[in-house]
Amino acid sequence: MGASHGAAGADAGRPAPPPGEARLSRPPVSRLVDAVFGGLKIAMVAFLALMVVLVFGNVVLRYGFNRGITISEEMSRMLFVWLTFISAIVAMRERAHLGMDTLVRRLPPAGKKVCYVASHALILVACLLFLQGSWEQTLISYRVGAIAPVTGMSMTLFYGTGVLFSVCAVALTSVELVRLMAGRLRDDELVSVREALEVAPDSAASGGDGEARRDATTGGSDPGTDHRR
């Protein structure tokens, strides 16, 4: 009994591993997925920066020098479409899509699971329909050789964004359903949308940890904190 308590005390007093070691301890597949989504975020930043340069530079050149960037409009439109769909993929993984969760949050765990399965089933149907339409349109533009009139870029790049988004959305939704069936989803993960003014889950968790540390330090005797509560 004493040995077990001693071991538990040693584990409790052991410092947490640094974030880098925690990431390295994750499975290779998880690290690969993290790297892919990190690349998508970098692409989002690059697309947005390039859009700003093209649009703002075109305005300055037109009004200041009576010149312009010929490809500005088409490139900006293409970048905006890619930015939109890539952002939607990243937001789906991070559960950052906006939605109304007023009812779902008040349901018991069983009700949340029913709503979770129903909503994800509808998402799968919608994404599969979107995939079918995007794939057909991409094939049509490829077969006829459709190109943008100014830049000469193939329009398959334009319609291909729908294919990329649909495939990623179907994969992410399917993984979430598998996690639910395997019992690996926490209760707080059963709400897959976020209110507009809601604090991100990671921020809320870190804030809760900070408050717990403050209570442990002050003994929970802060009158201002008690008054606010």
Side-chain angles (χ1 to χ4, degrees):
M1 179 69 72
S4 61
H5 281 294
D11 292 338
R14 185 179 303 167
E21 293 184 8
R23 285 194 296 268
L24 291 176
S25 63
R26 301 183 64 193
V29 175
S30 299
R31 281 184 284 162
L32 175 62
V33 173
D34 290 340
V36 170
F37 277 89
L40 291 179
K41 291 180 180 180
I42 294 175
M44 289 165 53
V45 175
F47 290 167
L48 183 59
L50 188 54
M51 284 173 56
V52 171
V53 171
L54 288 173
V55 175
F56 182 73
N58 198 37
V59 171
V60 172
L61 288 174
R62 284 187 182 277
Y63 283 91
F65 305 94
N66 199 23
R67 295 177 178 274
I69 304 175
T70 308
I71 65 173
S72 173
E73 183 179 351
E74 284 188 2
M75 281 296 298
S76 298
R77 183 167 62 246
M78 182 74 73
L79 291 171
F80 181 72
V81 171
W82 274 91
L83 176 63
T84 301
F85 281 98
I86 291 178
S87 302
I89 296 171
V90 175
M92 177 171 284
R93 186 187 185 226
E94 297 182 353
R95 302 170 179 267
H97 283 294
L98 300 181
M100 295 295 296
D101 60 355
T102 306
L103 174 62
V104 178
R105 285 191 181 278
R106 286 168 170 75
L107 294 176
K112 289 181 180 179
K113 291 180 180 179
V114 171
C115 292
Y116 191 89
V117 172
S119 62
H120 279 61
L122 292 174
I123 291 173
L124 279 177
V125 172
C127 289
L128 289 173
L129 291 175
F130 194 73
L131 174 61
Q132 179 184 3
S134 301
W135 178 251
E136 291 177 356
Q137 192 63 43
T138 302
L139 287 180
I140 291 173
S141 63
Y142 176 77
R143 288 168 182 167
V144 302
I147 59 174
V150 177
T151 60
M153 291 187 302
S154 174
M155 292 304 293
T156 55
L157 295 175
F158 185 83
Y159 299 111
T161 55
V163 177
L164 174 65
F165 167 76
S166 302
V167 171
C168 294
V170 168
L172 290 172
T173 306
S174 301
V175 168
E176 291 298 308
L177 287 176
V178 170
R179 290 184 62 205
L180 175 65
M181 300 303 176
R184 291 186 295 174
L185 278 182
R186 302 188 306 270
D187 287 345
D188 61 320
E189 293 180 315
L190 294 176
V191 180
S192 57
V193 295
R194 183 181 301 172
E195 294 282 359
L197 300 178
E198 184 180 350
V199 180
D202 293 340
S203 301
S206 60
D209 293 341
E211 185 176 352
R213 285 193 294 271
R214 286 194 301 271
D215 291 343
T217 304
T218 61
S221 59
D222 186 356
T225 304
D226 294 338
H227 176 70
R228 286 193 300 270
R229 290 176 182 173

